[in-house]
Amino acid sequence: MIYEGKAITVKLIDDGIAVLTFDLQGESVNKFNRLTIEELGEAAAKLGNANDVKGLIVTSAKDVFIVGADITEFKELFKGSEEELVANNLKANSVFSAIEDLPFPTLTIINGIALGGGFEMCLATDYRIMSSKAKVGLPEVKLGIFPGFGGTVRLSRVIGADNAIEWICAGGEKRPEQALKDKAVDAVIAPDALMDAAKTTMKRLIDGSLDYKERREEKKGKLQLNAMESMMTFETAKGFVAGQAGRNYPAPVEAIKVMQKHAGMTRDKAIEVEAKGFAKMAKTPVAAALVGLFLNDQELKKKAKAYDKQALPVNRAAVLGAGIMGGGVAFQSALKGTPIVMKDIAQAGLDLGLKEAKGLLTKRVSRGKMTAEQMADVLNKINPALGYGDFKSVDLVVEAVVENPKVKDAVLREVEDVVREDTILTSNTSTISITRLAQNLKRPENFCGMHFFNPVHMMPLVEVIRGEKTSEQAIATTVAYAKAMGKNPIVVNDCPGFLVNRILFPYFGGFNLLVRDGADYKQCDKVMERFGWPMGPAYLLDVVGMDTAKHAGDVMAEGFPDRMQYSEKTAVELMFENDRLGQKNDKGFYKYSLDKKGKKQKAVDEKVEQMLGDVVHKKGEFTDEEIIERMMVPLCIETVRCLEDGIVETAAEADMGLVYGIGFPPFRGGALFYIDTIGVEEFCRIADKYESLGKLYHPTDGLREMAKSGKKFYG
Ligand code: NAD
């Protein structure tokens, strides 16, 4: 044994070949935490002094190779100064460089996933052999940073600047074929033949029939580009990538700048440039928000997993109603492998649901994401029905019929009589209380809300709503089914609007008040889109539909009259009265027509300005900052209320609900993270400027307490 640690061992096997194995004790995956980096440094030092070693094979004893850096350490780490971060990166890099400089050939067996720091480890060795089942990549930009363990330096020299820019700036995971094509790896081998292939290659490297020295020098040298080529590559890429990433995500463009800057340098100098650039990105609020989201997502997954033990198996599901939502639920369930009965009262409804599913699947087939056989298999898992024929075999039902309490009551009672006693019933209602719907059921403990978002196949969130009598088993089973459908479930307690709509409607309230006070709705859209929302409030209302918004708004007003009931007619109500329903009838705040590709395009409708005169008090001028504050303050305060009222258990779940459910700008980390970023005290000061606008703008006592005591939502 050359080295034995808690994360790494190095053994000499035959013919002078040493094998360094990553196997982090007590963890299911390998990751680059402090311990692993420290041990890698110690192992490299031992190897450097081992006279009997002629070559090194690096591998992992787990299913994955190395999943990446330990992101749980980032939060603390990134609190350090830029200088400290640079020093930290250079220290870690000295370890990778020590591996790269070993006085014999080195080769990595990429037996499973190798991402971020994991793949940077692979790049430090001379050769890379990849399992046909593995994936590699540098996804750091997704956390608002870029590779910091030499990835920008080594990858650009190994696969060329053009390819490295694409790998690093898009941050995607690469399959073996792509990695081989781009020459990021030297061979792709079946999992069980990896070690033999590695030994054979290593023997050739040791006996000199394969030359490792030349490629090592190339990797450590300057990038092979002349000034003109360099200029063309980097400048063109900057423009393109800036357009793709958008102004709110600086890391991809910074990565290109860094690669451009160190192109003419040899390794050690180049790594210094990378470390400085990395530290600069790590200190941005964007990185803090995205790292925060990652950690929140981990927390969500942990919470969902904790329900596993109590969950009943869902081998077969059913959805009632084959409309927009029911059709989507059927598609998603079948796609992810749970067969589903799709029941409607009308054949036309069933036909529409199936047509929608076929359309989505055909797109996947034409994009090469699925074969025709797989498509047929998915379609076979959707069982259209006009009656309750085989509902005894159904483990969970999603009710998605029209949003009418009487119809829902009747349908839920009907289905309760035809399913087994242990079948879980759920409703996809957007506005009706789950406790209220449970009142007419014989087994209210088996009933909860399962609120999907439109379009079901795209939106990652499912709110699982606990009614007063819902059992934990019903919640657990619904959470497990949502997970099986590839969704992120968040368990919330019952209240009007549940979590997400309860928070969204105060945001629409802010918009209505802005329009009332003479703001231009087009300016509101532009400002909020620049702020980071996928669409501005007027456009979003057009997509939601003015009838839906009006109806849900009424429910919210009834539930929270102190702050969601308005004394005067709102812009949304006015639009509704004038049959301007939004995209569904091609006229709302904007007018819509189909473009050449059949997609709805919005255009300004001159009539709207005049029509809004009915609700506008006076012509007003608003700065972008005022618009942002007047839109965001009510949304943030309502999020605080949901947390205080116990609608949602943690800040992490509240924020993730907003990111996954309504596209809250991820780089701002969610409403509570946003308050933290501004500072609770400063947030209350901003809110107080708008006190006269009503209770939507009044911070809660709890928030004021937090401001006084300097408390934050996140640690
Ligand atoms: P939809 O009008 O598109 O579909 C409703 C379907 O239910 C129709 O196909 C209708 O034929 C069928 N139906 C009516 N009575 C039935 C019965 N007794 N048995 C079986 N089927 C019956 O409606 P939708 O937009 O899909 O909404 C369905 C539910 O999902 C509503 O509760 C709605 O609030 C909720 N929801 C909608 C959205 C959305 O954006 N559309 C988002 C979240 C939740």
Side-chain angles (χ1 to χ4, degrees):
M1 186 72 77
I2 298 173
Y3 178 80
E4 188 163 12
K6 292 192 173 74
I8 291 173
T9 52
V10 187
K11 272 187 207 155
L12 198 58
I13 49 166
D14 36 0
D15 303 324
I17 299 175
V19 177
L20 185 156
T21 308
F22 285 95
D23 190 6
L24 186 57
Q25 284 176 18
E27 297 273 355
S28 57
V29 295
N30 290 319
K31 50 190 171 183
F32 266 123
N33 53 8
R34 280 177 216 271
L35 172 85
T36 307
I37 291 178
E38 213 174 283
E39 288 193 2
L40 186 62
E42 290 166 7
K46 290 262 184 198
L47 278 162
N49 292 326
N51 296 329
D52 41 357
V53 176
K54 295 186 192 137
L56 174 71
I57 293 175
V58 177
T59 188
S60 141
K62 299 199 194 284
D63 289 344
V64 302
F65 177 65
I66 300 173
V67 290
D70 185 353
I71 298 165
T72 55
E73 290 179 355
F74 280 10
K75 207 169 147 183
E76 270 317 296
L77 191 71
F78 289 5
K79 282 184 186 156
S81 66
E82 261 187 64
E83 292 72 34
E84 285 166 330
L85 281 166
V86 169
N88 186 69
N89 269 33
L90 291 180
K91 197 165 150 223
N93 270 299
S94 68
V95 171
F96 287 84
S97 295
I99 292 284
E100 189 168 48
D101 291 339
L102 285 170
F104 40 74
T106 55
L107 176 156
T108 306
I109 296 176
I110 310 173
N111 62 304
I113 281 186
L115 297 175
F119 185 54
E120 288 174 292
M121 172 67 227
C122 308
L123 289 170
T125 60
D126 301 315
Y127 275 74
R128 284 160 292 282
I129 291 184
M130 181 175 182
S131 156
S132 52
K133 297 259 184 299
K135 277 187 190 163
V136 295
L138 296 174
E140 287 84 347
V141 288
K142 294 183 178 158
L143 294 175
I145 49 177
F146 53 74
F149 290 163
T152 68
V153 179
R154 294 193 179 93
L155 190 65
S156 53
R157 279 134 181 96
V158 170
I159 67 173
D162 278 345
N163 282 335
I165 289 169
E166 196 278 319
W167 278 54
I168 291 169
C169 297
E173 293 180 8
K174 304 289 180 186
R175 291 174 186 281
E177 313 82 65
Q178 187 66 47
L180 189 64
K181 186 166 161 265
D182 289 351
K183 299 198 169 66
V185 299
D186 298 287
V188 173
I189 310 275
D192 51 1
L194 281 167
M195 188 46 101
D196 283 347
K199 281 187 192 166
T200 310
T201 310
M202 185 49 76
K203 281 179 189 151
R204 292 184 59 206
L205 284 162
I206 293 170
D207 72 21
S209 54
L210 271 178
D211 182 13
Y212 73 91
K213 287 188 180 146
E214 195 184 327
R215 64 154 60 191
R216 186 184 287 185
E217 285 321 304
E218 232 172 72
K219 178 148 64 92
K220 290 169 64 179
K222 298 174 186 174
L223 199 59
Q224 303 293 321
L225 281 181
N226 66 35
M228 190 60 193
E229 288 166 337
S230 174
M231 163 88 176
M232 289 290 289
T233 305
F234 292 114
E235 292 304 324
T236 320
K238 266 190 257 176
F240 175 73
V241 168
Q244 294 273 308
R247 58 204 282 279
N248 296 315
Y249 293 88
V253 173
E254 282 297 318
I256 301 176
K257 285 188 193 160
V258 156
M259 281 190 268
Q260 183 169 21
K261 196 164 173 193
H262 67 49
M265 300 176 186
T266 52
R267 184 191 69 190
D268 293 348
K269 283 272 165 245
I271 279 178
E272 280 177 29
V273 171
E274 180 190 272
K276 280 189 191 139
F278 178 92
K280 186 173 146 199
M281 285 301 101
K283 292 302 291 177
T284 57
V286 179
L290 294 177
V291 168
L293 282 193
F294 178 87
L295 299 176
N296 286 352
D297 186 61
Q298 298 288 100
E299 192 179 320
L300 238 62
K301 291 202 167 87
K302 225 186 255 168
K303 287 195 97 166
K305 198 168 168 29
Y307 281 109
D308 280 355
K309 272 185 251 128
Q310 270 178 289
L312 298 170
V314 179
N315 296 317
R316 194 170 155 80
V319 62
L320 305 178
I324 300 174
M325 298 306 285
V329 169
F331 166 79
Q332 190 66 22
S333 183
L335 181 73
K336 294 291 174 180
T338 308
I340 186 160
V341 184
M342 179 171 73
K343 183 194 174 296
D344 205 291
I345 42 170
Q347 183 61 43
L350 293 178
D351 293 344
L352 213 67
L354 277 177
K355 192 175 154 212
E356 186 65 17
K358 266 186 206 150
L360 289 170
L361 290 165
T362 308
K363 257 191 211 152
R364 277 168 199 251
V365 173
S366 66
R367 284 189 196 140
K369 285 188 170 169
M370 180 181 257
T371 63
E373 291 78 50
Q374 284 167 328
M375 168 169 167
D377 189 44
V378 173
L379 281 175
N380 278 336
K381 287 199 169 75
I382 305 179
N383 200 338
L386 288 170
Y388 288 111
D390 48 0
F391 266 57
K392 279 276 179 273
S393 64
V394 164
D395 304 306
L396 184 144
V397 178
V398 182
E399 172 278 306
V401 304
V402 282
E403 188 74 351
N404 175 327
K406 280 193 192 136
V407 178
K408 287 203 191 281
D409 274 341
V411 168
L412 285 168
R413 264 202 311 262
E414 206 172 88
V415 73
E416 193 181 36
D417 284 339
V418 294
V419 292
R420 297 189 315 265
E421 291 222 335
D422 63 346
T423 299
I424 304 299
L425 300 187
T426 71
S427 172
N428 182 42
T429 176
S430 323
T431 55
I432 309 167
S433 155
I434 294 304
T435 302
R436 142 85 186 71
L437 283 174
Q439 275 166 8
N440 295 306
L441 293 175
K442 290 182 206 140
R443 296 183 293 274
E445 66 279 9
N446 282 359
F447 176 67
C448 66
M450 189 174 193
H451 187 216
F452 291 86
F453 291 75
N454 188 16
V456 175
H457 69 284
M458 299 272 288
M459 299 299 286
L461 178 67
V462 172
E463 286 178 300
V464 176
I465 303 129
R466 185 190 282 121
E468 257 167 33
K469 296 194 172 154
T470 305
S471 71
E472 283 304 287
Q473 189 169 60
I475 294 287
T477 308
T478 310
V479 164
Y481 178 49
K483 273 202 299 179
M485 286 173 83
K487 298 294 166 193
N488 298 310
I490 295 183
V491 178
V492 302
N493 284 318
D494 196 13
C495 73
F498 315 128
L499 174 72
V500 170
N501 283 336
R502 173 166 161 185
I503 295 170
L504 180 63
F505 275 79
Y507 174 82
F508 287 149
F511 173 68
N512 279 326
L513 292 173
L514 269 165
V515 174
R516 181 199 71 179
D517 294 344
D520 173 10
Y521 64 94
K522 300 182 289 304
Q523 187 195 354
C524 294
D525 273 4
K526 273 199 198 111
V527 171
M528 296 320 285
E529 280 161 20
R530 268 204 304 268
F531 179 83
W533 287 94
M535 49 188 97
Y539 187 23
L540 178 59
L541 280 160
D542 278 358
V543 172
V544 168
M546 231 55 71
D547 47 347
T548 306
K550 158 87 172 82
H551 169 70
D554 289 347
V555 173
M556 304 306 293
E558 200 188 321
F560 309 104
D562 61 336
R563 55 190 189 279
M564 298 194 207
Q565 194 165 59
Y566 306 97
S567 49
E568 297 161 86
K569 190 188 290 175
T570 65
V572 169
E573 285 166 339
L574 181 84
M575 287 284 143
F576 175 69
E577 274 176 19
N578 284 283
D579 195 35
R580 298 197 69 99
L581 301 184
Q583 286 196 337
K584 62 182 77 165
N585 69 351
D586 290 334
K587 50 183 187 170
F589 283 97
Y590 300 92
K591 60 183 176 187
Y592 296 86
S593 55
L594 292 183
D595 67 9
K596 277 186 212 140
K597 286 185 187 156
K599 271 196 165 172
K600 289 211 170 179
Q601 285 299 333
K602 74 173 169 33
V604 173
D605 190 336
E606 303 302 337
K607 282 186 218 143
V608 171
E609 201 85 40
Q610 202 188 352
M611 192 180 291
L612 284 172
D614 276 4
V615 292
V616 175
H617 281 186
K618 55 180 186 300
K619 196 73 213 140
E621 291 280 328
F622 292 89
T623 64
D624 291 0
E625 195 185 334
E626 280 169 322
I627 290 177
I628 291 169
E629 289 174 353
R630 289 184 56 154
M631 293 294 304
M632 293 305 293
V633 166
L635 178 148
C636 289
I637 292 180
E638 200 59 38
T639 312
V640 173
R641 286 183 189 278
C642 284
L643 191 62
E644 289 180 354
D645 293 353
I647 297 307
V648 67
E649 208 177 314
T650 60
E653 288 167 290
D655 278 347
M656 294 312 278
L658 296 179
V659 173
Y660 287 152
I662 48 175
F664 189 102
F667 67 95
R668 297 194 189 274
L672 302 176
F673 191 92
Y674 179 63
I675 298 181
D676 271 359
T677 311
I678 294 175
V680 181
E681 199 180 355
E682 173 63 8
F683 178 84
C684 289
R685 196 195 59 76
I686 294 171
D688 288 341
K689 286 200 286 184
Y690 304 104
E691 195 193 354
S692 64
L693 291 174
K695 207 166 168 197
L696 275 183
Y697 290 82
H698 299 178
T700 63
D701 293 345
L703 199 63
R704 294 217 190 269
E705 268 311 307
M706 284 177 72
K708 252 193 235 152
S709 60
K711 241 182 102 190
K712 296 168 104 186
F713 290 100
Y714 294 90

